[in-house]
């Protein structure tokens, strides 16, 4: 997966991309890619939305700790015979246990991915994405805050880390 950082940098060089508003979604194996990339690059994404994404090859306890700061809206068909809805249910449960902002939406009567038009063909997902802006959280739960200041003629930068709201 070393392809992703150069790919993202190329996109950033060609297009006006707000680095705090990078979202990730995918269907089926693309949904598995959402989980995988979010876990490998947790500092990159403002929100994720996997659709019928397999999780059986992921180390769920480790990965949920790495991505618990990324809001997730998980979609799955209740009648999916390719990827069991239990995989999404398990991931959602682990994320919730780790304090994540996660929603699992199961489409009753839907199979593997024919309902993706209900997800991508409407505005609600895009509107939800835009309510999220990425912050700098790291695997250990700490948040990195940084900025600059001007004090008279002195300029400087500040940086601090805090965990669970305490500096």
């Amino acid at each position: 997966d070393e392809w992703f950082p150069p790919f993202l940098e190329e996109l950033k060089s060609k297009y006006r991309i707000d680095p705090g508003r990078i979202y990730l979604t995918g269907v089926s194996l693309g949904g598995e890619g959402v989980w995988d990339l979010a876990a490998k690059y947790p500092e990159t994404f403002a929100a994720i939305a996997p659709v019928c994404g397999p999780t059986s090859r992921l180390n769920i306890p480790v990965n949920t700790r790495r991505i618990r700061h990324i809001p997730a809206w998980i979609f799955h068909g209740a009648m999916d015979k390719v990827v069991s809805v239990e995989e999404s249910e398990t991931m959602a449960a682990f994320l919730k246990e780790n304090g994540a902002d996660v929603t699992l939406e199961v489409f009753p009567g839907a199979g593997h991915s024919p309902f993706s038009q209900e997800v991508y063909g409407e505005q609600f997902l895009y509107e939800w994405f835009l309510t999220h802006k990425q912050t700098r959280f790291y695997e250990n739960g700490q948040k990195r805050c940084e900025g600059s200041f001007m004090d008279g003629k002195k300029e400087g930068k500040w940086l601090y880390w805090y965990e669970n709201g305490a500096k």
Side-chain angles (χ1 to χ4, degrees):
D1 290 320
E2 297 302 316
W3 63 270
F4 182 71
F7 172 71
L8 183 59
E9 289 308 311
E10 181 178 343
L11 288 176
K12 287 179 181 178
S13 73
K14 289 182 178 180
Y15 304 101
R16 290 180 37 186
I17 294 176
D18 179 347
R21 294 191 183 276
I22 297 174
Y23 308 106
L24 188 59
T25 185
V27 179
S28 190
L29 287 177
E32 181 179 38
V34 168
W35 294 122
D36 187 54
L37 286 173
K40 288 183 176 146
Y41 306 100
E43 71 286 351
T44 302
F45 304 103
I48 60 173
V51 180
C52 298
T55 61
S56 58
R57 292 186 285 243
L58 302 173
N59 182 335
I60 292 175
V62 169
N63 287 335
T64 52
R65 283 192 301 276
R66 289 180 58 82
I67 66 172
R68 67 181 176 224
H69 66 280
I70 306 171
W73 196 348
I74 306 167
F75 299 93
H76 214 110
M79 308 303 287
D80 193 335
K81 295 190 183 333
V82 178
V83 178
S84 171
V85 68
E86 292 172 354
E87 292 192 40
S88 287
E89 291 169 340
T90 299
M91 186 61 121
F94 269 91
L95 283 166
K96 283 182 183 177
E97 286 174 20
N98 281 280
D101 173 7
V102 61
T103 300
L104 172 62
E105 187 157 343
V106 177
F107 289 81
H112 184 56
S113 61
F115 67 92
S116 61
Q117 185 60 26
E118 283 98 342
V119 175
Y120 297 122
E122 302 294 329
Q123 289 297 308
F124 68 89
L125 178 60
Y126 309 108
E127 290 168 356
W128 178 80
F129 274 148
L130 291 173
T131 66
H132 298 286
K133 187 162 170 85
Q134 189 251 1
T135 56
R136 299 288 180 195
F137 284 91
Y138 296 88
E139 183 175 349
N140 62 1
Q142 291 184 325
K143 181 178 178 183
R144 177 179 175 178
C145 298
E146 58 187 295
S148 58
F149 65 88
M150 188 89 161
D151 182 12
K153 294 185 178 183
K154 294 182 184 176
E155 286 186 52
K157 293 189 179 223
W158 55 268
L159 170 69
Y160 69 84
W161 299 86
Y162 73 88
E163 184 169 1
N164 299 328
K167 291 183 189 175

